[in-house]
Amino acid sequence: SRALAKAVDWLLKQQREDGDLRGPGGGNHGMYAHGIAAIALCEAYGLTKDPKLKGPASRAIQFILNAQDKNGGGWRYQPGQKGDLSVTGWHYMALHSGRMAGLEVPDEVFARAREFISSVSGGTHNGIYGYTNPSNNHPAMTATGMFLRQLDLAPPTDPSQQEGAAFLKTRMLAANKVDFYFDYYATLSLYQHQGP
């Protein structure tokens, strides 16, 4: 559609030569913006195979590869910074979108990211997730971690998935405020999980 084409053109104009899509000033939200914009470019390229999108999508992925914390495996507010699960979630999704679109994403980047995701998981079956460590579990981070494991094909029968779903269900029943971040990831993860 014309609106989508205009949106993609706008995104392309925002991108710097090194693939950076953080926007002017960056700030703490810049890495979120990059991850979400990279997903959009990779999905657009994957769906259309438009050659003009391949280079920008590849550069967006390369920026993510360069920004990964090489020790811990996650992403945060600045490239190379020790990760948090919130920023990591968007970049991990972008890497999967890039790979599904046919772009080259090295296995070791996924392996390091999985190590980070494991480092913030806790609970009896590692199905409860925290922001920067397992002790500060949070409903939105549990929904995020659960979905990231689903991207790696964790089945609903996996004990960690069952533990995460049970945790999210109790948080949904107790919810008395709007939390769009939780709603987004809980919808993604529980839809994939299926069941009640």
Side-chain angles (χ1 to χ4, degrees):
S1 86
R2 194 167 164 227
L4 281 174
K6 284 176 72 173
V8 170
D9 285 343
W10 182 87
L11 264 182
L12 295 176
K13 289 177 186 156
Q14 309 314 304
Q15 191 176 45
R16 297 185 185 130
E17 263 183 58
D18 65 353
D20 187 347
L21 287 157
R22 290 179 291 172
N28 286 354
H29 295 96
M31 287 298 283
Y32 285 99
H34 180 85
I36 295 166
I39 292 168
L41 279 182
C42 289
E43 296 284 330
Y45 173 64
L47 288 170
T48 66
K49 294 300 183 198
D50 183 340
K52 83 172 185 180
L53 298 177
K54 185 175 184 179
S58 294
R59 287 193 301 279
I61 291 295
Q62 189 59 52
F63 185 84
I64 292 172
L65 302 182
N66 294 340
Q68 186 180 36
D69 170 17
K70 300 304 184 254
N71 295 319
W75 290 264
R76 200 163 191 186
Y77 301 140
Q78 298 300 324
Q81 190 177 16
K82 190 173 185 219
D84 71 56
L85 189 58
S86 182
V87 176
T88 294
W90 296 105
H91 289 86
Y92 200 64
M93 287 170 62
L95 293 173
H96 274 277
S97 291
R99 184 172 266 186
M100 286 190 297
L103 302 175
E104 206 171 304
V105 183
D107 288 337
E108 60 267 20
V109 173
F110 284 105
R112 278 198 303 268
R114 285 186 202 105
E115 286 175 19
F116 172 76
I117 296 165
S118 293
S119 79
V120 297
S121 68
T124 306
H125 301 288
N126 290 319
I128 312 294
Y129 297 85
Y131 181 64
T132 55
N133 63 62
S135 66
N136 60 1
N137 62 57
H138 185 285
M141 293 303 94
T142 293
T144 302
M146 186 175 171
F147 181 68
L148 299 183
R149 295 298 195 196
Q150 291 168 339
L151 288 176
D152 290 330
L153 306 179
T157 54
D158 186 300
S160 71
Q161 291 288 301
Q162 293 179 351
E163 182 177 39
F167 178 80
L168 295 181
K169 184 177 180 182
T170 64
R171 295 314 184 266
M172 288 168 56
L173 295 174
N176 59 1
K177 65 178 179 136
V178 174
D179 181 345
F180 289 120
Y181 201 96
F182 171 77
D183 292 344
Y184 175 79
Y185 275 108
T187 300
L188 276 176
S189 60
L190 293 174
Y191 178 77
Q192 295 297 323
H193 188 73
Q194 295 296 301

